[in-house]
Amino acid sequence: MWRVSQKTLNLGILAHVDAGKTTLTERLLYDSGVIDQLGAVDAGTTQTDSMPLERRRGITIKSAVVSFPIGDVAVSLIDTPGHPDFIAEVDRVLNVLDGVVLVISAVEGVQAQTRVLMRSLQRLEIPALLFVNKIDRPGANPEGVLRDIASRLKVTSFAMGCVTSAGTHGASVTASGPDDAEFKTGLTELLAEHSDRLLATYVQTEAGVPYDHLRAELAEQTRRGQVYPVFFGSAISGAGIAQLMAGMAELLATSDGDPDGPLSGSIFKIERGSRAEKIAYVRMFSGTVHVRDRLQFGSGLDDKVTAVAAFERGPAVQRKALSAGQIGMLWGLAEAQIGDQIGETENDAGLQFSPPTLESAVVPCDPRDRNRLRVALGQLAEQDPLINLRQDDKRHEIYVSLYGAVQKEVIQSTLADDFNVAATFRETTMI
Ligand code: GDP
């Protein structure tokens, strides 16, 4: 029987807009050997921004999954959108993650959105590493950002390295280690606050706590969301990225979940394939799904799985099965919806962000397109249930719920590009 023998890490990168999430994703894929050419956001050549519109506007709209190895850890990275109009996409992926890298710009520092994201991570008890990016940009102030993290994010954090020549092309990062007495003492005192055992060793032994015990304790407290280790670097120059990657494997990776246990998973994204067939993105928590299995999902539905793909080194590859810990794609579940649970899982943490507050009527430019528009919007609603299609039978109009103007523009372009339907919006009103 097919098995996952390695540790897995289902990772999300969260950040305020422009902090460098997409650039960091590209850098991680490049440094781990999955791609041989580094794409750039500004040139529209990154792996994860694949929608034509994303490339044109240089923003991330839909979550995409890519994977890469760090040593013996298989990382599936779920790129999440940063613009507040797409916060619902972030919400959907949060409850399938093992850990998060929260990116903060060394120039702009902690932003309102960083605080919103941090609060969600704390509420859901999702462990996170903080990555202070753009240390090479003029104006970078790593020390200031550390103070910002303490005062504005109000979490227990700990710097894992020091930056030299901040704000210049030559900015570099030195990882702190066992030879750095100040680092070791600081880390011991911080971790001892949550560990009586560590405190006892610290007080009783003159030589101090052995370094490998400290690191193991740091990993434990990070996974419990008690400490947030802070890494510094530049996604553009590559400085500090090796330390960040080592930190992800050491401090976040898990191999929880029994492949022979009861079936449990969560569908977090729906997509249509090239033949318009439905594809469900699923995170498995326990058990194994095989091709041709009959699967129970949602509220009492069941259907036969016709194909399975898993994410391994870059894009998804066809596989015979998907098991505990993995993220993959399932074909054949025609009625599946975002948020559906597979088997007996209780991992649905529910909606983490407020639902949309705006509504607008969508009207076809050519009245003969009304039916095609309805079908197209129906498919969009499948991928994004929060747009909450509403039909007004008296006025023969279709309404969608919205978070903001950028989302409106995206829906309009998607209708034109993917469905060949020209449509406009009437004025937006509060729900
Ligand atoms: P996202 O919106 O968080 O995905 O951010 P992007 O990856 O699109 O980056 C936003 C802008 O910041 C782009 O112009 C990037 O080229 C730039 N950028 C990203 N990372 C770095 C970095 O480490 N150093 C510098 N100097 N610029 C960066």
Side-chain angles (χ1 to χ4, degrees), residues 16-23 41-42 133-134 136-137 234-236:
H16 56 83
V17 184
D18 262 4
K21 212 170 47 231
T22 309
T23 310
V41 175
D42 307 310
N133 188 34
K134 305 196 187 186
D136 62 306
R137 260 224 2 231
S234 162
I236 290 257

Side-chain angles (χ1 to χ4, degrees), residues 316-364:
V317 274
Q318 295 287 328
R319 285 282 171 255
K320 290 203 169 64
L322 191 73
S323 53
Q326 287 190 299
I327 276 186
M329 296 149 96
L330 302 179
W331 280 258
L333 311 181
E335 303 299 322
Q337 287 185 333
I338 287 174
D340 278 356
Q341 303 301 305
I342 285 176
E344 306 156 20
T345 188
E346 293 194 353
N347 288 295
D348 187 9
L351 206 61
Q352 296 312 318
F353 298 94
S354 2
T357 52
L358 305 171
E359 187 177 67
S360 176
V362 194
V363 274

